[in-house]
């Protein structure tokens, strides 16, 4: 059974940093794209960042480009999202996902809450 388990969320002041982790298990992910999405209160879920399993290609939304970095540790089956220069508008539940493409993710974690205070 595929499991994606996020961790690392919490409360941080604006301008601060957090690192989210996503531990993946239950299948071989070598052909998959791993992504981070977020959903703020009252808003639809949106794409944040993605990486292919080899780590050779990364993608970011315009709203986080230059502030967030996605990375992967293949040996640990873990995907990370380093978030710097956090803003109150980054407050959301952050979800890890895996699939063949960003627009069609097959597996989702339960999410971790990030709250950025002003």
């Amino acid at each position: 059974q595929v499991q994606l388990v996020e961790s690392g969320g919490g409360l941080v002041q604006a301008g601060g940093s957090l690192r989210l982790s996503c531990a993946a298990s239950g299948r071989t992910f070598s052909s998959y794209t791993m992504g981070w999405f977020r959903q703020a209160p009252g808003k639809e879920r949106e794409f944040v960042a993605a990486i292919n399993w080899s780590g050779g290609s990364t993608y970011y939304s315009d709203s986080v480009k230059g502030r967030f970095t996605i990375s992967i540790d293949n040996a640990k089956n873990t995907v990370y999202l380093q978030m710097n220069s956090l803003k109150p508008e980054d407050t959301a539940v952050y979800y890890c996902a895996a699939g063949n493409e960003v627009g069609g993710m097959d597996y989702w974690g339960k999410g971790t809450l990030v709250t950025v205070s002003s």
Side-chain angles (χ1 to χ4, degrees), residues 24-94:
S25 63
R27 66 157 293 148
T28 301
F29 292 91
S30 58
S31 63
Y32 271 35
T33 293
M34 305 297 295
W36 286 97
F37 295 74
R38 67 186 182 187
Q39 187 167 19
K43 296 187 176 181
E44 293 187 353
R45 187 166 57 194
E46 64 174 359
F47 168 74
V48 175
I51 188 169
N52 65 347
W53 194 254
S54 69
S57 298
T58 57
Y59 313 89
Y60 298 93
S61 67
D62 288 342
S63 61
V64 307
K65 198 173 296 182
R67 299 187 298 122
F68 291 11
T69 302
I70 189 170
S71 63
I72 194 164
D73 186 331
N74 300 113
K76 295 182 178 180
N77 273 13
T78 300
V79 181
Y80 303 98
L81 185 68
Q82 177 67 43
M83 305 186 295
N84 299 329
S85 301
L86 283 161
K87 305 174 182 180
E89 51 264 44
D90 294 318
T91 294
V93 176
Y94 283 72

